[in-house]
Each structure stands twice: as structure tokens, then as C-alpha cells.
Amino acid sequence: MGSEVIDSELKVKSGSENKPQVDGVCGFFASGESVSFRPIATADLDEVMVIERTSFRFPWSSGFFLQELQVACARSILAEIDGQIVGYVLFWLLPGAIDIHNIAVHVDYRRRGIARLLLNKVLAEARNQSAVRVMLEVRRSNWQAQKLYQSLGFLATGVRKGYYSDDGEDAVAMTLDLPSET
């Protein structure tokens, strides 16, 4: 499929229709790198899977990624620096809300603010779609991710006992309520 991008309506778009958005230099990047953003294309899956496998004890399969990307309400954002994929986020755009399903950053690019940039892109999409809530689940043991989410305004709203089927770990449900524009 080459550089095709799977959109939310199960159609395939060529990469030329999805020009990357480039964010300016961020203070976290000592070398002055700029990060560009675009949807995940099928041609990206090998690189995405490298990040997935090094980020999670029980990673998603490439087949599950493909299946997830073809859900009508699914959206994805890929972060690149100098043409190298450094992170991604997958989420669902639901009526009035966004549900974040997966976010990861390449091990060599962690602690540089890339996850925060990705989350800010999701929050911007939420505002563009007039969503009033962004939700996610995070492993109870992943306190670093919880700290990041809290710094963006997410609040723990509950615990989902045995949420992760791979090992039975609990998940902390976190929610960010966005101001409605009235």
C-alpha cells in the first residue's frame, strides 16, 4: 500500500494529501529539532511496531493496529523528527468526547516532551470537534504517565479492576473535562 493513510471512513488516501504539520522548536529539544505530525500510514507500521514492542510488556500486534486504524471513529497522530518516527497516539472521536487508546514514544526520544506534544494535538482535536471530555485508562503501575496526564489537567476518576487482560493489572481511569464554548 506504500505511503497510504487510512482515514476514518475506511478509505485510503495518498500521503500527498496529508501534508505534515510542523511544530516549531520546543524548549525540550536541546538540538533545536522540530517535530512534524501526520496520521499513521500503513507503510509506517513496521516502525510503529518497534516503538510499541519496546514501550509495552504486552504490545498490540500489527494486525490489531490495522484493525484499530480502520474503525470509523479512529484517529491517529504520528510524530516525526527529520523523517524518523518518534511517537504516536491512537484515539477514538466519539460524540462529545475523545477516548485515547494508545500512546508511545521511541525509547531514544523519551523525556523530550514528545508525549506532551502528541497529547496537546489530541486536545486541540477535541476542541476542534467541540468535545467536552477526553478519557483514557493507564496502568496503575505507570506513575510516570499518570503524572504527565495530571500535568495536563486529567483527574483520576476511578479504578478498573483487572482491566488489563494480559496480566490482570488494574487501570486508573482518567478524565479531562474541557470547557464548553457557549
Side-chain angles (χ1 to χ4, degrees):
M1 288 191 181
S3 63
E4 300 163 328
V5 175
I6 301 172
D7 77 5
S8 63
E9 296 175 331
L10 302 178
K11 298 177 189 170
V12 177
K13 297 180 179 179
S14 69
S16 63
E17 292 175 35
N18 295 293
K19 300 286 185 208
Q21 297 172 294
V22 178
D23 273 356
V25 176
C26 176
F28 293 100
F29 300 104
S31 64
E33 305 156 318
S34 65
V35 180
S36 61
F37 300 93
R38 63 177 174 82
I40 295 175
T42 54
D44 301 321
L45 278 182
D46 287 343
E47 287 182 75
V48 165
M49 290 309 299
V50 168
I51 297 170
E52 179 75 7
R53 286 186 200 107
T54 58
S55 297
F56 302 107
R57 286 182 300 176
F58 304 100
W60 286 6
S61 69
S62 58
F64 191 81
F65 264 95
L66 282 172
Q67 185 178 355
E68 178 80 4
L69 290 169
Q70 293 179 11
V71 173
C73 61
R75 302 293 184 275
S76 66
I77 302 172
L78 189 80
E80 290 181 302
I81 296 176
D82 296 327
Q84 180 175 346
I85 296 170
V86 297
Y88 56 87
V89 61
L90 285 93
F91 58 96
W92 282 11
L93 181 58
L94 304 170
I98 283 183
D99 189 10
I100 298 173
H101 289 188
N102 194 341
I103 183 169
V105 173
H106 191 286
V107 67
D108 294 340
Y109 289 87
R110 292 184 185 154
R111 311 293 302 161
R112 297 190 193 188
I114 293 169
R116 181 178 299 277
L117 289 172
L118 285 164
L119 288 166
N120 281 327
K121 289 287 186 188
V122 172
L123 297 179
E125 180 68 15
R127 290 180 188 97
N128 288 341
Q129 299 295 329
S130 300
V132 296
R133 176 170 290 143
V134 180
M135 306 163 296
L136 58 85
E137 287 86 19
V138 59
R139 285 183 181 272
R140 183 174 247 171
S141 63
N142 193 347
W143 59 269
Q144 289 178 314
Q146 291 176 47
K147 187 175 173 182
L148 170 62
Y149 302 141
Q150 289 169 351
S151 76
L152 292 167
F154 283 83
L155 300 174
T157 53
V159 174
R160 301 192 195 285
K161 294 283 187 190
Y163 180 82
Y164 293 96
S165 61
D166 47 36
D167 64 358
E169 184 173 355
D170 295 345
V172 176
M174 299 187 80
T175 302
L176 173 62
D177 289 321
L178 300 171
S180 61
E181 296 180 16
T182 54

